[in-house]
Amino acid sequence: MIAPGQADTCRAANVSSAMKRFTIVALALLCAFTELPAQAKQPAQQADPPRLAPADEYFGRLKMSPIGIGNQIHDLGLLLKYNPAGYAGQLGRARMTEDALMDWRARYPSDTWLAKDAYLMARVDAMFYDHESHSRAWSLMTWVAQRFPHTPFGANAKGEVRHGHIVPLYAMPATPPTPTPTPTQTPTPAASPAP
């Protein structure tokens, strides 16, 4: 049996607990439907452009993917290393690869993969013997040093820019080697039949 004083205590506890629940729900609804003043004062910010280019997006006139651009840069370096006399034949391929790299750079300027590929492209451009390639190499190296200063490639680029010399990806002869002529077969005259 409940004593008369205990019944009032139980009723007060139930009312108090119901009041707490009501207050919590009311505050939650109030917070959900009111805008905070700090949020109201801030202008709407636009979303940052995507940081990484999708692997299935293609750039430049040759429509190269970021992975394809990296592979072309690697291949160009090896082709020039093992056949420095054929540098003139690789110049067009290097320009098309750089075209794709520049298109990628224009669309995704904060893509972190750009630091590596632009740095290596600059070092490949330094392997060519023409003035235009060297100015392109300098431009790319300066861009990497400024845009990605806190990456390993940006730190190396800053060092090369500071020293005023871009180290080619592989050592090249000081002067362009002359290509070795390929022997051609001279046709032998056919014997004419006797009358």
Side-chain angles (χ1 to χ4, degrees):
M1 189 160 247
I2 299 177
Q6 285 181 331
D8 289 336
T9 307
C10 289
R11 237 181 284 130
N14 285 339
V15 169
S16 173
S17 137
M19 193 62 139
K20 284 181 185 175
R21 274 189 250 135
F22 175 76
T23 305
I24 290 173
V25 170
L27 283 174
L29 288 173
L30 183 67
C31 288
F33 291 109
T34 58
E35 188 174 316
L36 297 176
Q39 290 176 339
K41 292 179 183 176
Q42 291 180 354
Q45 293 187 6
Q46 296 177 0
D48 288 339
R51 289 185 50 82
L52 295 177
D56 62 346
E57 189 164 341
Y58 303 99
F59 304 98
R61 287 177 273 174
L62 290 183
K63 301 298 181 198
M64 298 170 75
S65 70
I67 295 169
I69 293 170
N71 287 340
Q72 282 291 341
I73 293 168
H74 176 262
D75 293 348
L76 279 166
L78 290 177
L79 285 167
L80 291 171
K81 176 183 178 181
Y82 292 111
N83 185 15
Y87 77 94
Q90 301 303 327
L91 198 55
R93 187 175 179 185
R95 293 297 163 260
M96 295 304 267
T97 304
E98 197 166 339
D99 172 62
L101 183 71
M102 292 302 168
D103 187 23
W104 176 17
R105 177 176 121 172
R107 288 199 244 166
Y108 296 93
S110 57
D111 190 335
T112 53
W113 281 31
L114 275 170
K116 173 185 75 83
D117 287 335
Y119 175 78
L120 293 176
M121 187 72 219
R123 292 190 61 195
V124 166
D125 275 343
M127 294 175 75
F128 286 99
Y129 293 100
D130 63 319
H131 178 70
E132 181 187 357
S133 294
H134 286 259
S135 65
R136 287 173 180 260
W138 189 258
S139 173
L140 276 174
M141 196 62 76
T142 305
W143 181 78
V144 171
Q146 291 171 351
R147 184 75 174 106
F148 300 100
H150 302 295
T151 64
F153 298 102
N156 288 342
K158 278 195 289 190
E160 293 192 29
V161 167
R162 185 176 46 248
H163 291 257
H165 175 70
I166 297 174
V167 179
L169 191 57
Y170 298 108
M172 297 291 286
T175 58
T178 55
T180 55
T182 55
T184 57
Q185 272 188 332
T186 55
T188 53
S192 52

